């Protein structure tokens, strides 16, 4: 997909659009607006652009200090990377062999599941992830009556009722938690795993639905390619490249520029930052729920009220560099990409990525090896009160028990993402619909970001496209009440 593919079919109206927020959604919106021939001003309150995507350096190694990959089987993020000159930098993982640290051992991640939900017990048996009772409970679904799933249900509640709690606690929780940093027993099935929701509605047995999802996936054009992709030098390069492309196209990108007010005018919009009032024909709000609610309260109080109910999870990434000579063979063999940790096992870390194995660019140094852990999820954030040094120590303690790592890192850094991930509880899609319905009464302003279409990078880029479409449609409508 090139920039021409990103444009709408209608002629683009001339005009000026202000984008509030410089994360990947805001940057993607700015990039798309520029491709459609508009003038763009982007205002970001933080001192840097990129949001939760951040490239860094540790002991001379390039590292990602935020998200590290994109879902390659969705086109939006890959298309954006290509459009800003990163086509040659896109990389598949060097290894995708992940494990689960559960029931006292590091166990191979079972195959043949959809977000941890298996079609049958067979592929799980050899892994040791589930007990014999847990395996038997999966097969017992054949004896259960079909149930009506209704408008929505929590992932954990539905899957546990059909396949047992062990499947949720030891498979679904760590995988779903890795995406949302949330609680599977609260997360919406319809919003977070829509293919499973449809399977549950159309199949008497959940296992049958999982098999149908797998058959469709195998027939899809993307099946032959990698599931995930990274970027040489880190996914943190993506927002940097998008920003550079936007500046080259004439955009005014500002950091340290918090927006105090967004107001309607007889001819469009006024956006106030600092002591400056910027006139615009349209506005894209690419910010989290709280600042969006604050800015929309005078304009769309119903939307602001719903936005204030959104909860966010906080987490921390502990990134460390080790001497290769001091690492155990469980890491240096190069076969493992890392492991996930089910919360039910009571560990501090929720996951560990062996970055030097997973990404060829991250493992290029012959002497040093980067590795990281994550700590914290929604409802389980007590450990985030520890200082950085303590988070390093507790990570090392868990790594010692999991993989026999006894070395100290030569360097480490802790990146905290406070309120970083919006939660998708039961009813989330209805809540998003109410927000959008209220904002739709204000032609020329639209919302995008991780709250609306999904928390992944492709979903954020897609939400930016929808917001731009809405703003352009309003600007192109003769006599629209801006």
């Amino acid at each position: 997909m090139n920039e021409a593919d990103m444009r709408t079919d209608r002629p683009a109206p001339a005009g000026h659009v202000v984008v509030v927020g410089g994360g990947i959604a805001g940057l993607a919106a700015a990039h798309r607006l520029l491709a459609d021939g508009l003038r763009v001003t982007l205002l970001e309150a933080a001192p840097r652009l990129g949001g939760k995507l951040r490239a860094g350096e540790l002991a001379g190694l390039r590292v990602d200090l935020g998200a590290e990959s994109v879902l390659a089987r969705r086109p939006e993020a890959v298309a954006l990377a290509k459009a800003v000159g990163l086509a040659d930098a896109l990389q598949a993982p060097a290894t995708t062999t992940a494990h689960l640290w559960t029931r006292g051992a590091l166990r191979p991640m079972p195959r043949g599941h959809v977000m941890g939900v298996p079609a049958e017990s067979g592929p799980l048996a050899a892994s040791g992830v589930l007990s014999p009772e847990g395996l038997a409970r999966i097969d017992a679904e054949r004896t259960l009556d079909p149930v009506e799933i209704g408008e929505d249900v929590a992932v954990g509640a539905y899957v546990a009722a059909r396949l047992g709690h062990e499947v949720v606690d030891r498979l679904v929780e760590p995988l779903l938690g890795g995406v949302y940093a949330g609680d599977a027993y609260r997360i919406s099935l319809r919003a977070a795993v829509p293919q499973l929701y449809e399977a549950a509605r159309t199949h008497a047995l959940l296992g049958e639905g999982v098999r149908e999802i797998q058959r469709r996936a195998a027939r899809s054009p993307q099946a032959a390619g990698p599931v995930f992709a990274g970027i040489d030098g880190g996914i943190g390069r993506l927002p940097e490249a998008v920003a550079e492309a936007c500046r080259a196209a004439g955009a005014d990108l500002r950091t340290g520029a918090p927006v105090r007010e967004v107001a309607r005018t007889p001819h469009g919009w006024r956006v106030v930052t600092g002591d400056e009032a910027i006139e615009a024909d349209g506005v894209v709000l690419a910010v989290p729920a709280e600042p969006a609610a604050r800015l929309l309260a005078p304009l769309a109080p119903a939307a602001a009220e719903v936005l204030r109910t959104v909860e966010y999870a906080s987490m921390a990434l502990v990134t460390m560099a080790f001497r290769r000579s001091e690492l155990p063979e469980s890491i240096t063999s190069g076969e493992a990409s890392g492991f996930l940790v089910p919360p039910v096992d009571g560990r501090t870390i929720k996951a560990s990525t062996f970055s030097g194995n997973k990404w060829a660019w991250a493992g290029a140094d012959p002497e040093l090896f980067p590795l990281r852990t994550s700590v914290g999820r929604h409802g389980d954030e007590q450990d985030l009160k520890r200082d950085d040094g303590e988070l390093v120590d507790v990570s090392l303690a868990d790594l010692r028990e999991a993989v026999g790592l006894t070395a100290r890192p030569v360097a480490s850094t802790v990146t905290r993402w406070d309120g970083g991930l919006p939660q998708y509880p039961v009813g989330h899609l209805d809540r998003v619909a109410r927000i959008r319905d209220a904002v739709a009464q204000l032609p020329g302003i639209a919302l995008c970001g991780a709250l609306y279409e999904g928390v992944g990078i492709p979903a954020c880029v897609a939400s930016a496209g929808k917001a731009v479409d809405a703003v352009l449609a309003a600007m192109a409508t003769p006599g629209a009440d801006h």
Side-chain angles (χ1 to χ4, degrees), residues 11 42 80 195 202 226 233 253 257 270 342 372 380 388 394 408 446 450 472 476:
L42 183 147
L80 180 60
Q195 69 270 41
T202 55
L253 307 184
R270 183 179 66 251
R372 71 183 196 173
D380 183 15
D388 289 0
V394 294
R408 296 286 305 183
L472 293 180

Side-chain angles (χ1 to χ4, degrees), residues 49 70 72 105 111 122 168 182 189 193 199 222 241 249 251 264 280 293 312 320 410 414 419 421-422 438 472 480:
L49 300 172
V70 301
R111 299 185 181 275
V168 178
L189 181 63
V193 201
Q222 295 82 21
R264 302 180 78 174
Y312 281 75
M320 297 171 279
V410 298
V414 176
L421 287 170
L472 293 180

Side-chain angles (χ1 to χ4, degrees), residues 188-213:
S188 159
L189 181 63
R190 184 178 166 210
V193 201
Q195 69 270 41
L196 275 177
Y197 174 73
E198 289 303 320
R201 293 182 65 201
T202 55
H203 292 77
L205 299 179
L206 183 56
E208 290 179 353
V210 171
R211 280 190 286 273
E212 178 60 25
I213 293 169

Side-chain angles (χ1 to χ4, degrees), residues 178-245:
V179 178
Y180 292 91
D183 180 351
Y185 289 96
R186 296 184 70 244
I187 293 174
S188 159
L189 181 63
R190 184 178 166 210
V193 201
Q195 69 270 41
L196 275 177
Y197 174 73
E198 289 303 320
R201 293 182 65 201
T202 55
H203 292 77
L205 299 179
L206 183 56
E208 290 179 353
V210 171
R211 280 190 286 273
E212 178 60 25
I213 293 169
Q214 292 168 339
R215 284 192 292 267
R216 290 179 182 177
R219 295 193 299 265
S220 72
Q222 295 82 21
V227 177
F228 296 99
I231 292 174
D232 186 356
I235 285 292
R237 289 185 60 198
L238 179 60
E240 295 172 356
V242 177
E244 183 178 347

Side-chain angles (χ1 to χ4, degrees), residues 4-253:
D5 297 320
M6 298 169 65
R7 296 173 184 160
T8 56
D9 292 334
R10 61 184 174 275
H16 177 214
V17 176
V18 172
V19 177
V20 183
I24 193 59
L27 288 166
H31 184 261
R32 163 71 188 282
L33 288 162
L34 291 160
D36 278 297
L38 280 84
R39 184 164 64 91
V40 174
T41 302
L42 183 147
L43 305 172
E44 167 57 49
R48 67 172 190 88
L49 300 172
K52 292 185 287 296
L53 310 188
R54 183 176 177 183
E57 186 174 291
L58 184 67
L61 299 176
R62 294 177 297 172
V63 292
D64 263 322
L65 299 175
E68 60 160 7
S69 64
V70 301
L71 182 63
R73 291 186 178 174
R74 280 196 64 163
E76 298 90 349
V78 170
L80 180 60
K82 291 178 178 178
V84 297
L86 292 175
D88 292 339
L90 289 165
Q91 290 185 359
T95 178
T96 57
T97 303
H99 292 77
L100 287 165
W101 184 27
T102 188
R103 301 180 67 216
L106 209 61
R107 303 177 186 276
M109 177 70 72
R111 299 185 181 275
H113 61 81
V114 174
M115 194 55 78
V117 180
E120 56 190 351
S121 65
L124 283 166
S127 70
V129 170
L130 302 189
S131 69
E133 294 77 15
L135 294 169
R137 181 63 180 79
I138 295 171
D139 295 331
E141 192 200 10
R142 294 190 295 267
T143 68
L144 302 180
D145 294 330
V147 296
E148 291 290 333
I149 195 169
E151 288 299 312
D152 201 1
V153 66
V155 177
Y158 182 75
V159 175
R162 303 303 299 177
L163 305 178
H165 283 279
E166 277 198 55
V167 168
V168 178
D169 294 344
R170 300 197 186 277
L171 285 168
V172 177
E173 276 274 32
L175 286 161
L176 201 61
V179 178
Y180 292 91
D183 180 351
Y185 289 96
R186 296 184 70 244
I187 293 174
S188 159
L189 181 63
R190 184 178 166 210
V193 201
Q195 69 270 41
L196 275 177
Y197 174 73
E198 289 303 320
R201 293 182 65 201
T202 55
H203 292 77
L205 299 179
L206 183 56
E208 290 179 353
V210 171
R211 280 190 286 273
E212 178 60 25
I213 293 169
Q214 292 168 339
R215 284 192 292 267
R216 290 179 182 177
R219 295 193 299 265
S220 72
Q222 295 82 21
V227 177
F228 296 99
I231 292 174
D232 186 356
I235 285 292
R237 289 185 60 198
L238 179 60
E240 295 172 356
V242 177
E244 183 178 347
C246 288
R247 290 191 181 99
D252 180 7
L253 307 184

